[in-house]
Amino acid sequence: MKKGDVYLALMFAILALVFGKLSLDLYSGGHSGVGASQWPLMICIVILIGSILVFINYFRSGQASVKAKAVLSRDEKRVAISILTLILYFFSVMYVGFFVSSLAMLFVLITYYGNFKWYISLICALLIASTVYFVFSYLLNVSFKFGVLF
């Protein structure tokens, strides 16, 4: 097990605690106790348990004293960029809006991973974001009315 696994487990543990706290603020249900907070809370608990197991496994294997390398590999950089992009996307959706944030996130990821020309990436991102927005807003009647822009 690498030291990066422990850092990732720590990040997931922190995110599970944050989102677990946020899910407690959701509607908890009536007589049955089942509401909007049930599934997010259960998922956060599973993620937190998994993170704790990674910590236990790491320290039991005796690798806690191994030196970390200073330079990330190409694959580790790609994972880090993906995680950072998704975290930025999460926060930008609340303030900017779903469509614009999704368009920007898709454009960045398609351009970075796909190695397409910028206009092809923009067209693909526009098609995907428009389709998702149309399906959820008009066919499923799910409101995306948050943020400054739509």
Side-chain angles (χ1 to χ4, degrees):
M1 180 178 299
K2 295 186 273 185
K3 198 167 195 159
D5 295 339
V6 176
Y7 292 134
L8 190 62
L10 177 64
M11 185 183 73
F12 275 119
I14 291 169
L15 289 176
L17 290 173
V18 168
F19 288 117
K21 169 63 176 108
L22 291 174
S23 69
L24 289 176
D25 296 337
L26 296 173
Y27 176 70
S28 62
H31 291 73
S32 67
V34 177
S37 65
Q38 178 184 7
W39 286 108
L41 191 57
M42 288 174 52
I43 291 169
C44 288
I45 289 170
V46 169
I47 291 172
L48 187 61
I49 290 171
S51 297
I52 290 170
L53 290 175
V54 168
F55 283 127
I56 291 171
N57 189 21
Y58 180 73
F59 288 109
R60 283 183 61 204
S61 68
Q63 294 180 349
S65 62
V66 175
K67 297 265 184 186
K69 60 182 179 178
V71 180
L72 295 175
S73 70
R74 182 174 184 269
D75 291 334
E76 291 169 337
K77 287 179 186 175
R78 291 172 70 107
V79 169
I81 288 172
S82 297
I83 291 171
L84 290 175
T85 303
L86 291 174
I87 290 171
L88 287 173
Y89 171 71
F90 172 75
F91 288 110
S92 69
V93 164
M94 291 187 286
Y95 298 110
V96 177
F98 172 79
F99 186 78
V100 175
S101 298
S102 298
L103 184 66
M105 187 246 343
L106 287 167
F107 176 73
V108 167
L109 291 178
I110 291 171
T111 302
Y112 183 71
Y113 288 115
N115 294 325
F116 297 111
K117 297 200 184 286
W118 69 269
Y119 55 87
I120 299 293
S121 298
L122 184 62
I123 291 170
C124 290
L126 191 60
L127 286 173
I128 293 169
S130 299
T131 302
V132 170
Y133 187 82
F134 174 78
V135 167
F136 279 91
S137 293
Y138 296 106
L139 298 179
L140 299 175
N141 291 325
V142 175
S143 177
F144 285 135
K145 305 287 187 221
F146 45 85
V148 177
L149 303 172
F150 69 100

